[in-house]
């Protein structure tokens, strides 16, 4: 009975993931058709075809390399990571050192904070409203303290974190599918996605946060008391750096209850104690960091979120389709106190909801937001200043190349999500899929930007590796069949 219940839940999750990837695939096709095909359609189609062929050829080479020798496996993996690191560093050299948007706030406030200056003047300033961002600011301050106020230190550390993400993702695929060749393909798909790694030039908290969350997933998959304890630590540190822990915790809790508590048609109560251990350590680490920041005088609000309403002000705005909009910002007086601002924000949220209800625009808004987050160009490259130091033609080519990585990920992750119904894999995959689904649902209600998907792109790449492996295997079988027939 328990196994049957678990099986039903598993099928529901797989169906939800398949529907999600299918929707994203359709939205990508629509976006590609409206944009890429209206401007130089022949060139764009040729670029896409060439990109897919090159990926298939690279995948074929990686699959043909034997996985019987552990030393050879490590050599292949570290060769891929080394190639990525070289390309990532070259990218840093191609873009200006200028910091943009929120990244600028971190970089320019770090030396101020180290010299004892306040990081906010009013209770409605950036670090006062979103005090949780102070966690990453402390990290930036530490880097500046050690290496000086030189952006290259942040950038090279970002490349290191990206390389480690590739390594951890490789280990996750091996853990889930017991397939080294498929793990190689996951690294290939992620390392060629410029939309994913472009922000390594910025003071960006997503890569370090992403790494810590992936390590958390891996530790939980080990299913030991010590690994659950360490998972609480990495989860806490990840949340301090990138505060999306509630979504990750939701995935962890549901996974533990469905797949660890229930095993072999029996209840395993120790799974609850392991889960509680993780959550307790997370709470101690995150709360302790907040109290330390507050008592230090760096931020009197600790790591709190004093303006959670703003994400819904933007996220439920039909006119902007849930994307940051200066017109909405202009409706507020940013010099108002937090209490005054909060009342105005609640008023606008109700106004947005009434508009969506009255005009039956919910589906249209949610469809548009999902497309912005998952199917369209991530706009990550727009935050690098590439266009400021390169020609319009070079910028156009760069953006086209960046989006091709996303298109390839979407195509193969869609195939991979369908393939999951036919192949065997560890239940550990549901930890990743449940977190992905939780994140996708939450993003339907709050502000979206294409770059917000970066944390979950490794999960998409893992699905993509299943699809790419399936396609290459099919091509290989057809090729061998034709050769045998000709002989």
């Amino acid at each position: 009975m328990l196994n049957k219940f678990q099986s039903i839940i598993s099928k529901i999750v797989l169906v939800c993931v398949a529907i999600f990837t299918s929707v994203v695939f359709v939205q990508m096709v629509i976006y590609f058709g409206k944009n890429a095909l209206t401007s130089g359609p022949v060139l764009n189609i040729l670029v896409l075809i060439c990109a897919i062929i090159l990926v298939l050829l690279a995948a074929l080479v990686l699959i043909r390399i034997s996985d019987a020798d552990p030393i050879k496996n490590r050599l292949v993996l570290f060769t891929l990571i080394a190639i990525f690191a070289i390309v990532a560093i070259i990218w840093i050299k191609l873009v200006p050192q200028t910091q943009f948007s929120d990244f600028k706030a971190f970089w320019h406030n770090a030396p101020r904070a180290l010299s004892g200056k306040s990081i906010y003047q009013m209770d409605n300033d950036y670090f006062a409203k979103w005090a949780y961002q102070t966690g990453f600011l402390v990290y930036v301050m530490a880097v500046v303290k050690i290496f000086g106020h030189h952006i290259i230190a942040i950038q090279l550390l970002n490349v290191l974190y990206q390389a480690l993400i590739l390594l951890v993702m490789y280990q996750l695929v091996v853990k889930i599918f017991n397939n080294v060749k498929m793990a190689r393909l996951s690294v290939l798909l992620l390392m060629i996605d410029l939309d994913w790694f472009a922000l390594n030039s910025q003071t960006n908290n997503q890569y370090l946060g992403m790494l810590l969350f992936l390590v958390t997933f891996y530790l939980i998959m080990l299913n030991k008391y010590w690994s659950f304890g360490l998972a609480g630590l990495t989860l806490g540190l990840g949340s301090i750096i990138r505060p999306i822990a509630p979504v990750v915790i939701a995935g962890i809790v549901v996974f533990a209850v469905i797949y660890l508590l229930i095993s072999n048609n029996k209840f395993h109560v120790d799974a609850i104690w392991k889960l509680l251990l993780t959550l307790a350590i997370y709470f101690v680490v995150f709360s302790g960091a907040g109290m330390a920041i507050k008592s230090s005088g760096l931020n009197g609000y600790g790591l709190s979120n004093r303006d959670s309403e703003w994400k819904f002000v933007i996220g439920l705005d039909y006119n902007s389709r849930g994307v940051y909009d200066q017109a909405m910002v202009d409706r507020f007086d940013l010099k108002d106190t937090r209490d005054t601002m909060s009342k105005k924000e609640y008023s606008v949220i109700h106004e947005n909801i009434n508009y969506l209800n009255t005009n039956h625009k919910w589906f249209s808004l949610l469809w548009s937001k999902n497309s912005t987050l998952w199917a369209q160009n991530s706009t990550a490259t727009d935050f690098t200043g590439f266009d400021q130091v390169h020609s319009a033609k070079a910028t156009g080519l760069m953006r086209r190349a960046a989006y091709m990585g996303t298109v390839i990920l979407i195509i193969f992750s869609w195939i991979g999500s369908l393939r999951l119904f036919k192949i065997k894999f560890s239940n550990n995959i549901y930890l990743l899929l449940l977190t992905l689904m939780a994140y996708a649902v939450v993003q339907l209600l709050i502000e979206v930007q294409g770059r917000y998907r970066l944390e979950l792109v490794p999960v998409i790449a893992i699905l993509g590796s299943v699809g790419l492996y399936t396609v290459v295997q099919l091509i290989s079988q057809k090729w061998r069949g034709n050769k045998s027939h000709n002989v």
Side-chain angles (χ1 to χ4, degrees):
M1 180 64 72
L2 293 176
N3 281 353
K4 185 175 182 181
F5 168 76
Q6 189 181 76
S7 177
I8 292 172
I9 296 297
S10 298
K11 289 179 181 178
I12 292 174
V13 173
L14 292 181
V15 168
C16 289
V17 172
I19 292 173
F20 168 72
T21 57
S22 298
V23 168
V24 172
F25 176 77
V26 170
Q27 291 177 325
M28 180 273 291
V29 171
I30 294 172
Y31 177 79
F32 188 85
K34 287 183 177 179
N35 294 273
L37 300 185
T38 55
S39 176
V42 175
L43 175 61
N44 283 305
I45 291 176
L46 285 176
V47 168
L48 177 59
I49 292 173
C50 290
I52 292 176
I53 291 174
L54 288 174
V55 169
L56 289 173
L57 289 174
L60 180 61
V61 171
L62 291 174
I63 287 179
R64 292 292 293 268
I65 298 174
S66 172
D67 60 353
D69 184 356
I71 295 177
K72 182 182 289 186
N73 291 338
R74 286 194 288 270
L75 180 61
V76 172
L77 171 61
F78 289 119
T79 298
L80 289 173
I81 293 177
I83 293 172
F84 165 78
I86 292 170
V87 173
I89 292 172
I90 291 173
W91 169 256
I92 289 173
K93 301 299 291 184
L94 290 176
V95 297
Q97 305 299 296
T98 309
Q99 301 295 289
F100 299 89
S101 187
D102 294 7
F103 315 127
K104 182 178 180 180
F106 291 121
W107 185 241
H108 288 285
N109 274 283
R112 287 173 51 84
L114 285 170
S115 64
K117 296 179 181 178
S118 176
I119 59 176
Y120 58 86
Q121 279 70 50
M122 301 184 300
D123 75 341
N124 205 30
D125 287 345
Y126 183 87
F127 285 104
K129 290 190 295 185
W130 300 300
Y132 57 79
Q133 297 284 32
T134 312
F136 183 64
L137 178 63
V138 171
Y139 161 80
V140 179
M141 291 167 62
V143 173
V144 172
K145 184 70 174 179
I146 296 171
F147 300 104
H149 199 228
H150 308 293
I151 193 62
I152 189 64
I154 290 286
Q155 294 172 331
L156 292 179
L157 284 171
N158 280 342
V159 174
L160 174 62
Y161 303 145
Q162 290 171 331
L164 291 174
I165 287 168
L166 295 175
L167 176 61
V168 176
M169 184 181 65
Y170 178 96
Q171 296 297 334
L172 286 171
V173 175
V174 173
K175 188 73 176 173
I176 293 168
F177 297 100
N178 192 29
N179 190 322
V180 169
K181 294 181 178 180
M182 193 179 290
R184 294 172 185 168
L185 299 188
S186 69
V187 173
L188 172 67
L189 286 173
L190 191 58
M191 66 183 280
I192 64 173
D193 186 11
L194 179 57
D195 259 354
W196 172 73
F197 72 80
L199 286 174
N200 59 15
S201 67
Q202 298 293 302
T203 312
N204 183 14
N205 59 357
Q206 291 176 277
Y207 298 116
L208 178 53
M210 189 188 316
L211 173 62
L212 290 166
F213 290 132
L214 288 177
V215 171
T216 300
F217 293 146
Y218 184 77
L219 288 169
I220 287 175
M221 290 180 187
L222 295 178
N223 197 19
K224 306 290 184 180
Y225 272 104
W226 65 265
S227 65
F228 268 81
L230 285 178
L233 175 61
T234 54
L235 179 60
L237 293 175
S239 186
I240 291 169
I241 297 298
R242 179 68 173 167
I244 61 170
V247 175
V248 178
I249 290 173
I252 291 173
V253 170
V254 176
F255 172 76
V257 171
I258 301 299
Y259 297 100
L260 297 182
L261 178 61
I262 300 173
S263 180
N264 296 323
N265 217 29
K266 296 180 181 178
F267 283 113
H268 295 263
V269 182
D270 64 323
I272 296 298
W273 299 120
K274 292 174 183 176
L275 176 62
L276 292 176
L277 176 63
T278 296
L279 297 179
I281 293 177
Y282 158 77
F283 179 79
V284 170
V285 170
F286 188 76
S287 300
M291 289 187 289
I293 287 174
K294 190 173 183 178
S295 62
S296 71
L298 178 61
N299 193 323
Y301 303 108
L303 290 174
S304 61
N305 181 2
R306 300 178 59 249
D307 193 11
S308 56
E309 303 92 344
W310 182 254
K311 287 291 185 180
F312 295 95
V313 168
I314 298 295
L316 298 177
D317 179 24
Y318 183 78
N319 292 324
S320 69
R321 299 299 193 272
V323 179
Y324 180 87
D325 182 27
Q326 189 59 43
M328 177 60 77
V329 176
D330 293 340
R331 294 181 60 180
F332 297 84
D333 185 351
L334 301 183
K335 294 182 180 180
D336 282 339
T337 63
R338 179 89 292 273
D339 288 340
T340 302
M341 184 87 162
S342 181
K343 292 176 182 178
K344 175 69 173 177
E345 287 173 343
Y346 274 113
S347 175
V348 173
I349 290 173
H350 288 298
E351 177 185 318
N352 289 339
I353 292 175
N354 288 335
Y355 177 84
L356 293 170
N357 288 336
T358 303
N359 295 278
H360 308 290
K361 294 292 187 180
W362 278 103
F363 178 79
S364 177
L365 174 65
L366 300 183
W367 176 271
S368 179
K369 291 179 67 177
N370 195 75
S371 178
T372 297
L373 182 61
W374 301 104
Q376 300 179 19
N377 189 309
S378 73
T379 69
T381 56
D382 294 342
F383 289 90
T384 64
F386 184 94
D387 60 323
Q388 296 183 3
V389 294
H390 296 279
S391 66
K393 183 177 181 180
T395 300
L397 289 172
M398 179 276 296
R399 286 174 176 162
R400 183 179 288 113
Y403 188 54
M404 284 304 107
T406 294
V407 169
I408 289 171
L409 267 180
I410 291 172
I411 292 173
F412 289 113
S413 64
W414 172 58
I415 297 172
S417 69
L418 300 178
R419 182 61 176 162
L420 289 180
F421 289 95
K422 297 292 185 179
I423 64 174
K424 293 183 178 181
F425 48 81
S426 164
N427 282 340
N428 287 323
I429 195 174
Y430 293 107
L431 175 57
L432 305 181
L433 298 183
L434 287 166
T435 304
L436 173 64
M437 290 295 93
Y439 190 78
V441 170
V442 168
Q443 290 291 332
L444 290 176
L445 299 177
I446 63 176
E447 175 193 352
V448 294
Q449 292 187 38
R451 63 187 177 94
Y452 289 171
R453 68 172 173 249
L454 297 189
E455 283 87 358
L456 276 299
V457 169
V459 178
I460 302 297
I462 289 174
L463 286 174
S465 70
V466 179
L468 181 55
Y469 185 81
T470 299
V471 172
V472 173
Q473 287 287 80
L474 182 62
I475 293 174
S476 297
Q477 291 171 6
K478 292 286 186 180
W479 177 260
R480 287 196 295 268
N482 288 337
K483 286 187 68 177
S484 299
H485 181 72
N486 291 332
V487 171

